[in-house]
Amino acid sequence: MVGTILITFGFSAVLALVLGVALGFFREKFKVERDPKIDEVREALPGANCGACGYPGCDGYAEAVATGRAPTTKCSVGGSATAEALAKIMGVEGGAVEDKVAVLLCQGAIDKTVRKGEYNGIQTCRAAKLSTGSIKTCSWSCQGFGDCVNVCKFDALAMGEDGLPHVNYDNCTGCGLCVEECPQKILTLVPRDRVGSIVLCSNRSTVKASVIKTCKVGCIKCELCVKSCPECAITMVNGIPVTDYAKCTSCGICVEKCPTKCYKMLEVDIFGTKKLVPVMEQAQA
């Protein structure tokens, strides 16, 4: 019995040794050399692993860039500086990465909207959307459970006491993870340097009475913005006023005319980079 065990053990050891040697031999014989550019590109990336580039983390994007399968301008976190570094490594002409940030197209705070009732389901926006359509009478309103906040890797989003997510534009990288996560599709990416008017409402109902009942700051489709714009830069698209930024001069007339104050100026009310000059003061100047 003992002899059988020893023979079996010895045979197993010899077999393991032979297989180990064979595997080592074939590994060296058929190994594929790793392109050193992959490591160079990976070192130049910020390491956020957010996936905003469309690849599985920085490793996946680095390999795609190094093998010529991806452009050098897909890293929104690293921005133009990273794009230039990657272009230098790859020996190609550099390109700029458009600096974008997230903007919430809804002002449906707790005190501004009407809830259908008490929601006791899973406390996520997606679950609320799937089970109720919307916990608020406005079907397009923010559900307020912070799914967008939970996926943000840069501490750029936080839920406020008003029940809405608030963006910290100093931290926002424009990765777009929050935009993809939002089941209501009311988060969008906007160039950080964009100026002009924007509607912070996504209610597409064309019935004025319906909008008034569901939200105090919803777009009631009065079209005063469209009619008052001196540049004809605003048109109604699927029940929402849309600004043509090639025409918009940031005069602010649409903001002043909007009865529910859902029209805002990007550079004034969202980014706070400029001060709005009232229309009357503009005329006097």
Side-chain angles (χ1 to χ4, degrees):
M1 183 67 178
V2 175
T4 302
I5 294 176
L6 291 174
I7 293 173
T8 303
F9 177 78
F11 177 78
S12 299
V14 172
L15 180 61
L17 178 62
V18 171
L19 289 175
V21 172
L23 287 174
F25 171 77
F26 286 114
R27 179 183 177 183
E28 289 298 317
K29 185 72 173 177
F30 298 104
K31 72 176 180 180
V32 177
E33 294 293 337
R34 179 181 173 85
D35 189 342
K37 280 188 177 180
I38 297 177
D39 294 325
E40 288 185 63
V41 171
R42 181 63 182 84
E43 281 295 317
L45 294 174
N49 285 315
C50 62
C53 58
Y55 294 87
C58 292
D59 288 340
Y61 181 51
E63 184 173 350
V65 170
T67 55
R69 294 183 290 108
T72 60
T73 56
K74 298 286 286 184
C75 181
S76 60
V77 178
S80 296
T82 295
E84 291 176 9
L86 298 185
K88 185 176 180 180
I89 293 171
M90 296 303 298
V92 298
E93 186 175 343
V97 177
E98 190 170 29
D99 186 12
K100 293 184 177 182
V101 289
V103 173
L104 180 68
L105 303 179
C106 177
Q107 295 185 103
I110 295 173
D111 61 335
K112 304 296 183 183
T113 52
V114 180
R115 294 173 70 95
K116 291 179 179 178
E118 189 66 30
Y119 174 71
N120 295 314
I122 299 173
Q123 302 294 293
T124 67
C125 300
R126 193 167 297 280
K129 175 71 174 178
L130 289 173
S131 59
T132 68
S134 171
I135 63 172
K136 299 176 183 177
T137 51
C138 174
S139 299
W140 294 269
S141 182
C142 173
Q143 301 300 286
F145 292 110
D147 291 15
C148 53
V149 176
N150 294 333
V151 298
C152 181
K153 297 185 177 184
F154 307 99
D155 294 324
L157 281 166
M159 292 302 297
E161 293 183 0
D162 58 358
L164 296 176
H166 293 262
V167 183
N168 180 336
Y169 289 108
D170 290 332
N171 294 348
C172 185
T173 64
C175 69
L177 292 179
C178 58
V179 175
E180 293 181 14
E181 187 67 20
C182 179
Q184 295 290 69
K185 303 305 177 187
I186 54 176
L187 276 162
T188 187
L189 292 178
V190 175
R192 192 186 293 269
D193 60 356
R194 174 168 286 174
V195 297
S197 58
I198 189 170
V199 177
L200 300 187
C201 177
S202 298
N203 190 321
R204 284 171 168 69
S205 172
T206 56
V207 182
K208 178 179 178 179
S210 173
V211 178
I212 294 175
K213 287 181 180 179
T214 60
C215 182
K216 296 178 182 178
V217 287
C219 174
I220 58 175
K221 328 304 175 187
C222 64
E223 298 192 22
L224 280 176
C225 53
V226 177
K227 299 170 185 175
S228 63
C229 180
E231 307 299 330
C232 298
I234 303 172
T235 54
M236 297 296 292
V237 179
N238 295 325
I240 295 293
V242 176
T243 301
D244 182 346
Y245 294 103
K247 297 180 180 179
C248 181
T249 61
S250 293
C251 67
I253 293 177
C254 54
V255 176
E256 292 186 8
K257 294 289 185 180
C258 180
T260 58
K261 304 306 176 185
C262 63
Y263 237 118
K264 303 294 180 182
M265 298 300 294
L266 282 166
E267 66 270 40
V268 177
D269 306 299
I270 310 299
F271 303 140
T273 55
K274 292 182 181 180
K275 181 179 179 181
L276 180 65
V277 178
V279 177
M280 289 300 293
E281 291 184 23
Q282 293 182 41
Q284 292 173 2

